[in-house]
Amino acid sequence: MRGPDIQQDALFSTVSPEQRVPKDHPLRPIRQMVDQALQALDGEFDTLYADLGRDSIPPEKLLRAQLLMALYTIRSERQLVEQIDYNLLFRWFVGFSMDDKVWHHSTFTKNRDRLLEGEVAHKFFAQVLEQAQSADLLSKEHFSVDGTLIEALASLKSYRPKEEDEPPTQDGGRNPTIDFRGERRRRETHESKTDPDALLFRKSKGTTAKLSYMGHLLMENRHGLVVDARVSQATGTAEREAAIDMVEALTGTCRVTVGADKNYDTKGFVEAMRCANAVKQHPKLTRYQRAILTRL
């Protein structure tokens, strides 16, 4: 028997977002770890906010929402707020009920900036890392380092001479056509008018140059967990410079090994690793990048 196509909305509902999330969903253990870290940062949150005035967005919700952006590769706060509004999984993870009104994206961005200025993101990462340390999941001897390009949210049309205010256009409109043919653009003379810190960089020969930043990760080799993360401007030496800083920041007195690709195989980097009480490794091209050769 064919069922009726009833589309009438219910006036009341007794179902919560918690009931809609499967018991074995990967976000459930992540939510437990996040809540434990946020509870440890409760005192830090109190120092960032005044005792009087209107209530702002709770910092716990801000950090959970930011984590969703990273886990689900959401490109903007506008898209994030839109998905939290209609996605029951996101509502549950952030801490909204079925009837709670989601913030405006501009309000979210303003509160987010104030939170990040207080270095809360670094302290949050340290709390999560401490949980892994308490569970004896981190290796203290063997590490791997690598970097990647992060494309900036800036148009190539914004990359213009530093002394130029408006670009030369061939037609009108809000998105005019700009001809860069024959123009030599250098970092010394050009910059992005919308994101001055972004630099023009290409990953390899034959690829397109893009306005980018560079992300750097230091991972321990036992379980593949990230123990340090940095973001820098996109330069030819940024990967090695960030790797040196991250290895030097490691605690402990024992000698460690560091796996890396051939981009790190320079005399200066190897010498810096030796000074940092580390041995550079040439990783085998496997899933876990385990080292097979050691450069003495």
Side-chain angles (χ1 to χ4, degrees), residues 109-234:
T109 303
K110 183 178 180 181
N111 283 264
R112 186 273 320 268
D113 291 342
R114 175 170 54 176
L115 191 67
L116 295 182
E117 288 175 358
E119 299 295 323
V120 172
H122 295 284
K123 297 173 183 176
F124 174 75
F125 178 77
Q127 288 294 330
V128 176
L129 196 63
E130 186 176 337
Q131 295 181 32
Q133 183 69 44
S134 301
D136 196 24
L137 297 177
L138 300 182
S139 170
K140 297 181 180 180
E141 298 178 352
H142 306 293
F143 301 88
S144 295
V145 65
D146 202 1
T148 185
L149 282 181
I150 303 175
E151 186 175 351
L153 292 178
S155 171
L156 286 176
K157 295 180 180 180
S158 69
Y159 198 69
R160 306 195 300 270
K162 296 181 179 181
E163 67 278 0
E164 183 180 273
D165 295 329
E166 296 294 334
T169 60
Q170 296 179 342
D171 53 12
R174 298 182 59 184
N175 190 21
T177 301
I178 302 175
D179 187 8
F180 293 112
R181 183 174 300 176
E183 180 181 350
R184 192 168 188 178
R185 294 178 288 178
R186 294 183 175 180
R187 297 174 179 176
E188 295 79 10
T189 58
H190 289 63
E191 68 176 0
S192 172
K193 299 300 181 179
T194 57
D195 192 354
D197 293 329
L199 299 180
L200 203 61
F201 194 87
R202 62 179 182 179
K203 189 173 184 180
S204 59
K205 293 183 179 180
T207 59
T208 304
K210 299 180 180 179
L211 289 171
S212 308
Y213 291 93
M214 191 164 284
H216 315 274
L217 294 178
L218 180 67
M219 304 179 66
E220 57 83 32
N221 289 349
R222 180 185 296 174
H223 294 96
L225 301 178
V226 176
V227 297
D228 200 350
R230 308 283 177 96
V231 178
S232 68
Q233 289 185 303

Side-chain angles (χ1 to χ4, degrees), residues 4-23:
D5 183 21
I6 301 176
Q7 300 185 23
Q8 182 178 359
D9 294 332
L11 183 59
F12 299 102
S13 176
T14 58
V15 179
S16 66
E18 169 73 23
Q19 296 174 278
R20 293 292 188 182
V21 180
K23 299 298 182 183

Side-chain angles (χ1 to χ4, degrees), residues 77-90:
E77 286 83 2
R78 186 187 296 269
Q79 294 180 3
L80 174 66
V81 171
E82 178 185 354
Q83 291 205 33
I84 293 175
D85 192 27
Y86 64 74
N87 192 322
L88 291 181
L89 177 64
F90 285 10

